[in-house]
Amino acid sequence: MAPCQTLFQAQRRSLPGKLSHLKTKAKFGPSPSGRARPPVRPPQRRPPAGAAASRRAPEGRRWPTGPSCTSSQRDGSGGQLGQCAPGLSVNAPMEPGSSSTEKFYRIPKGKGPHSVGCTDLMTENAVEGSFLRLYYPSCSGTDNEEAPWIPDKEYYQGLSDFLNMYRVVGERLFQYYVGSVTCPAKSNAAFKLGEKYPLLIFSHGLGAFRTIYSAICIEMASQGFVVAAVEHRDESASATYYCKKKSISEPQEESTSGLEKEWIYYRKLKAGEEERCLRHKQVQQRAQECIKALNLILKINSGEEVTNVLNSNFDWNSVKDSIDTSRIAVMGHSFGGATVIESLSKEIRFRCGIALDAWMLPVGDDIYQNSVQQPLLFINSEKFQWADNILKMKKLSSNDTNKKMITIKGSVHQSFPDFTFVSGGLIGRFFKLKGEIDPNEAIDISNHASLAFLQKHLSLKKDFDQWDSLVDGIGPNVIPGTNIDLPPAEPE
């Protein structure tokens, strides 16, 4: 999953002079059948005077560097970029044809009965530890601020690397267009006690990271799930990090913790390297990271003490005895969809799985030999899938009524991550961040079908069965199976 590649190809036009000629790959997620995509060359426009320079950090605010460890990579600017006030999602520049000088776009709030909080958890001062963002039902009425959507500038640098852009250019673009985005979950809000919540482990796509599926994770949490969104360290994320001890020779002014962030960036394919081999190795690590996250949350639930090296002020003791350990599922998008399948094959405690627009290339051949016994729901977009990928899904789910496939009409691969909500209509549709369907309707269909599926296979006592028809592909803008023309089945 390349979360915003074409968005910034379009918005690169806001850069003056020769920088506007900078090219990035026109690849948007895994390319169907390996087909090359034509390069996108948007029309060049000169920005409004001082547009990029007008975004300054509000007085007294600094770019968040993390609560406990400093970064071992500096931006070289001598300063820190700003973060706008909570609740202001993104102040987007005018789109062509707009009658307004500003538009505001926002990641949708959860529609369930619970308020939602989120917090980050990292264990161990090593790459082998776990790193995740936890979304959870929270106490209402809290005055905690909304969490930053992209919490460190190094993620902008990683996205720039992933998109083949100069870092200085990419960081400027990301900061200008999405630098003020917050997700509608309260940072470190108090955990809501009194219930046992089912647990959902979420796996991000290629080039993504733990924070950019917040619309899905927040909706699940608002409906009564605890969601652990894993940040994978297999070099498939645009960027991630772990905290390590500072060497004695390094200055200690910025932090008293004695820790610093060691960044890991996306690894590109080497010349002549077979992609399937690399992705299969990565998906195996990803599955182990999902299982490790599961074990970590269950350890906290049992009352064992866990050290969070990020040292947030969230009370982890409040999670004790709040997880329903008999109701656990796994969910993911694109490469994360393949991770769902791999995780189900390795861990029987995952009672079911949901694969959003899954990319099947990384899945090993052994998985198709009855390795996945649990129920599995494929939710596909209309525009991304191709015959070979669909045939692999069908091979996995043949003759099993608990394995379902639906397709959301008018949707695209980017209808699942948050970038579809923070891009304007014209740019979003032209560069396939948005489909023909309204992004809010598309994510509602996906979330409602997921909730109905989870209710059935986790034996939940909720009202999610009102959306049972969606799981069968019945309803507005959804079809059963696939829209892709498949070759006739060969006789056995």
Side-chain angles (χ1 to χ4, degrees), residues 36-316:
R37 302 178 191 269
V40 178
R41 295 184 176 86
Q44 297 177 18
R45 298 174 182 266
R46 301 188 68 84
S54 66
R55 298 182 65 81
R56 295 286 187 263
E59 185 176 356
R61 300 300 293 270
R62 300 178 68 197
W63 180 271
T65 58
S68 72
C69 51
T70 60
S71 176
S72 62
Q73 303 222 4
R74 306 288 186 252
D75 66 358
S77 66
Q80 292 180 300
L81 298 176
Q83 176 192 348
C84 289
L88 185 62
S89 287
V90 60
N91 186 347
M94 183 175 65
E95 287 191 308
S98 170
S99 60
S100 172
T101 56
E102 292 183 341
K103 282 193 174 184
F104 296 87
Y105 306 106
R106 182 170 179 81
I107 297 166
K109 295 181 178 180
K111 297 177 174 64
H114 298 282
S115 299
V116 178
C118 69
T119 190
D120 289 330
L121 173 61
M122 182 186 294
T123 63
E124 303 178 30
N125 299 326
V127 69
E128 292 80 16
S130 290
F131 190 20
L132 57 87
R133 173 162 285 190
L134 195 76
Y135 299 86
Y136 53 88
S138 67
C139 297
S140 57
T142 177
D143 58 357
N144 296 54
E145 294 184 350
E146 290 190 347
W149 183 48
I150 300 181
D152 294 276
K153 68 180 183 301
E154 283 83 359
Y155 288 105
Y156 294 166
Q157 296 171 1
L159 287 167
S160 300
D161 293 347
F162 182 72
L163 304 177
N164 280 351
M165 300 173 68
Y166 291 120
R167 283 187 175 186
V168 65
V169 176
E171 186 178 330
R172 180 180 173 185
L173 282 170
F174 279 102
Q175 171 60 18
Y176 178 62
Y177 282 97
V178 298
S180 60
V181 175
T182 60
C183 74
K186 297 299 182 70
S187 181
N188 297 318
F191 192 91
K192 186 177 182 180
L193 304 176
E195 294 186 42
K196 282 187 175 290
Y197 303 107
L199 176 62
L200 186 61
I201 306 295
F202 192 93
S203 173
H204 65 71
L206 190 71
F209 36 90
R210 73 190 186 283
T211 67
I212 65 172
Y213 293 89
S214 63
I216 294 172
C217 296
I218 288 170
E219 174 62 16
M220 295 294 123
S222 79
Q223 299 287 355
F225 287 80
V226 169
V227 185
V230 177
E231 188 157 289
H232 293 295
R233 290 170 169 169
D234 61 330
E235 298 179 299
S236 68
S238 285
T240 186
Y241 68 92
Y242 63 95
C243 289
K244 67 174 185 177
K245 292 183 179 180
K246 286 184 177 180
S247 63
I248 298 175
S249 60
E250 291 187 70
Q252 302 283 325
E253 305 102 22
E254 293 185 41
S255 173
T256 59
S257 68
L259 298 175
E260 66 176 355
K261 295 177 181 178
E262 181 71 17
W263 285 89
I264 304 168
Y265 292 102
Y266 175 77
R267 174 165 113 58
K268 297 179 181 179
L269 283 172
K270 300 174 183 177
E273 184 176 18
E274 182 185 2
E275 182 167 25
R276 189 171 188 272
C277 181
L278 171 63
R279 302 308 181 201
H280 180 57
K281 181 179 178 181
Q282 288 176 322
V283 80
Q284 290 176 308
Q285 178 177 334
R286 285 166 145 258
Q288 290 301 327
E289 289 171 337
C290 288
I291 295 168
K292 188 180 295 185
L294 166 60
N295 291 334
L296 177 61
I297 300 302
L298 295 185
K299 184 177 180 181
I300 294 170
N301 182 68
S302 70
E304 292 187 50
E305 186 175 346
V306 171
T307 300
N308 183 7
V309 300
L310 299 179
N311 289 334
S312 71
N313 59 6
F314 179 74
D315 180 11
W316 287 98

Side-chain angles (χ1 to χ4, degrees), residues 111-115 136-137 192-199 219-226 322 324 327 447-468:
K111 297 177 174 64
H114 298 282
S115 299
Y136 53 88
K192 186 177 182 180
L193 304 176
E195 294 186 42
K196 282 187 175 290
Y197 303 107
L199 176 62
E219 174 62 16
M220 295 294 123
S222 79
Q223 299 287 355
F225 287 80
V226 169
S322 293
D324 188 336
R327 293 181 169 94
N447 287 336
H448 291 164
S450 298
L451 289 166
F453 185 80
L454 290 168
Q455 169 154 327
K456 178 177 180 180
H457 296 292
L458 296 182
S459 304
L460 301 175
K461 295 179 180 179
K462 302 283 188 178
D463 62 353
F464 305 151
D465 54 352
Q466 64 182 296
W467 300 305
D468 277 350

